[in-house]
Amino acid sequence: DHHTFLNCKTVMKNELKCQDVTTPVVPVPHENCTDFTACGWQIGEWGTCSETCGTGQRSRAVWCESGDPSHCDAAAKPASSEDCSAHAECMFEVGDWE
């Protein structure tokens, strides 16, 4: 079983030069892309503070955009939690004079 393939290349703009090839051209095997150097960390919005009067913690989602944390620089990973202060529900307590 013989197939004729055309091997073409551009010689000049808008002009192709073709040549008959009697043996099949073996396709070049492809590889999955493994370069994740452009992957970066993504962050969500900060949540509310765990305390309404005083110091607490708040958190946010942090993920690598490729879906695999090993593809992002661990040293550059943003914090997923931090201390916070809230005073919205703080009340003064008035006591007797001493």
Side-chain angles (χ1 to χ4, degrees), residues 71-95:
H71 296 162
C72 288
D73 182 5
K77 183 177 181 181
S80 60
S81 65
E82 69 177 7
D83 291 338
C84 58
S85 294
H87 304 288
E89 294 185 22
C90 290
M91 300 167 71
F92 290 102
E93 289 187 23
V94 179

Side-chain angles (χ1 to χ4, degrees), residues 7-19:
N7 186 9
C8 300
K9 65 180 179 178
T10 303
V11 177
M12 295 175 61
K13 187 177 181 182
N14 298 328
E15 183 182 335
L16 289 177
K17 181 177 182 180
C18 297
Q19 173 184 1

Side-chain angles (χ1 to χ4, degrees), residues 46 49-50 54-59 79-86:
W46 284 110
C49 192
S50 62
T55 303
Q57 285 277 309
R58 66 181 186 164
S59 61
S80 60
S81 65
E82 69 177 7
D83 291 338
C84 58
S85 294

Side-chain angles (χ1 to χ4, degrees), residues 18-72:
C18 297
Q19 173 184 1
D20 286 341
V21 179
T22 55
T23 57
V25 177
V26 178
V28 176
H30 72 282
E31 295 180 11
N32 290 333
C33 179
T34 57
D35 180 9
F36 299 103
T37 56
C39 290
W41 293 103
Q42 301 294 310
I43 55 173
E45 296 291 321
W46 284 110
T48 58
C49 192
S50 62
E51 294 295 324
T52 56
C53 180
T55 303
Q57 285 277 309
R58 66 181 186 164
S59 61
R60 64 182 175 184
V62 177
W63 67 95
C64 182
E65 63 188 334
S66 74
D68 184 342
S70 68
H71 296 162
C72 288

